[in-house]
Amino acid sequence: MRDAGPAQRSVASERPANPRSGTVAIWDLPLRVWHWALAAFVLVACVTPNTFDRLHRLAGYAVIGLLAFRLIWGVIGSRHSLFARISLKLRAAPKYIVNILRGETGRYLGLNPAGAAMLVAMLALLIVSTVSGVMQVSQRFFGVGWIEQAHALSSNAIIALIAVHVLGTVWMSVLQRENLMRAMVTGRKRVPGIVRADQAAARSRVPEPTPVVAREEEISVVPDLPPQRAAPPVTAKPMPARMPRTLSVHDKRLGVGR
């Protein structure tokens, strides 16, 4: 469910570095490495309990280190790695999940509300599982029943969340027609509303209609005068013998009466 911040609000602030593909960089390299490393070590931890105890413990310690990095990166990382607005997305998660079940989903560049809820639940369960696992092998808490039960229940819940996460990613990819798993590999996601370069070039080859050139208007070269009009027809009215003594401003500019 890797899908965060609404796309329509963020397109103006994030220009795609590759206009031909119509994508924009969302997930930075440290976050992508963390995601796939966590997936690998959690998988190792899930398949090695009670069989390869040493490898199981090493995978658990690696997960603890990755959790510490994610908590730090959620404060100082890139824009879509931050926990700044996680509470707002958590409040919107129930309604968003209902809309997903109806086949309706909005476009988010980073984590959508369902993905934010998944992230919080996964981090919380991983913390419980790893901490209880460390306590379980310590001398003080070795053999304590509630510690073993907490480790087993949290580990099983993690496996269930992984299955939900994979199914949700596939479902969102189908709804939005975008490979979200590949986006977590490349770090780039499609931005709606961006025209690809090849489509723009095809459109540019369409001949445009020739604009109609309007006939230039005959304008007087004298400032502040209206456009010259055709002279009125000559009538039989006699012309005055002399110009009036009071001349207008336009007459003075034209030199009339001199």
Side-chain angles (χ1 to χ4, degrees):
M1 298 182 183
R2 298 285 176 184
D3 213 16
Q8 296 296 338
R9 299 180 181 178
S10 304
V11 172
S13 59
E14 298 190 42
R15 299 298 182 184
N18 190 352
R20 178 172 295 274
S21 62
T23 59
V24 64
I26 299 298
W27 309 117
D28 54 50
L29 180 60
L31 185 65
R32 284 178 281 152
V33 172
W34 171 84
H35 177 273
W36 295 112
L38 182 67
F41 283 114
V42 168
L43 179 62
V44 171
C46 289
V47 298
T48 56
N50 302 323
T51 53
F52 301 96
D53 290 338
R54 183 176 181 181
L55 183 59
H56 182 77
R57 289 195 298 268
L58 291 177
Y61 293 141
V63 171
I64 292 177
L66 291 172
L67 290 175
F69 167 80
R70 186 63 182 94
L71 294 177
I72 297 174
W73 200 249
V75 178
I76 65 173
S78 60
R79 175 182 177 183
H80 295 287
S81 304
L82 300 178
F83 298 142
R85 297 185 179 181
I86 199 73
S87 60
L88 297 176
K89 295 182 180 180
L90 290 179
R91 289 198 293 267
K95 184 177 180 180
Y96 186 83
I97 294 175
V98 172
N99 291 335
I100 290 178
L101 297 178
R102 296 175 180 174
E104 302 173 359
T105 175
R107 282 285 297 161
Y108 286 79
L109 289 181
L111 283 176
N112 57 35
M118 175 65 68
L119 174 64
V120 173
M122 183 67 73
L123 292 179
L125 288 174
L126 285 173
I127 291 174
V128 173
S129 178
T130 53
V131 171
S132 60
V134 173
M135 295 172 64
Q136 187 176 357
V137 296
S138 64
Q139 294 182 356
R140 182 176 179 179
F141 296 99
F142 182 79
V144 177
W146 68 270
I147 295 293
E148 295 179 353
Q149 187 175 6
H151 183 70
L153 291 177
S154 59
S155 300
N156 293 332
I158 289 172
I159 297 175
L161 275 185
I162 292 175
V164 173
H165 174 62
V166 173
L167 293 177
T169 301
V170 174
W171 179 238
M172 292 296 294
S173 299
V174 172
L175 291 179
Q176 298 182 350
R177 298 179 181 179
E178 181 177 12
N179 191 336
L180 298 179
M181 186 174 296
R182 183 177 61 184
M184 185 51 67
V185 176
T186 63
R188 308 187 65 85
K189 293 185 66 176
R190 175 177 55 83
V191 178
I194 293 182
V195 181
R196 296 185 57 175
D198 52 355
Q199 297 177 357
R203 294 180 181 179
S204 63
R205 289 193 294 267
V206 177
E208 298 181 356
T210 305
V212 179
V213 180
R215 183 178 179 181
E216 295 185 359
E217 188 179 11
E218 296 180 359
I219 305 297
S220 174
V221 296
V222 181
D224 301 331
L225 281 178
Q228 295 179 352
R229 300 177 181 272
V234 179
T235 60
K237 186 180 294 185
M239 296 296 293
R242 54 185 301 180
M243 295 293 292
R245 294 183 180 181
T246 302
L247 300 178
S248 65
V249 177
H250 298 303
D251 292 333
K252 293 179 179 180
R253 290 181 179 179
L254 291 173
V256 177
R258 293 183 182 178

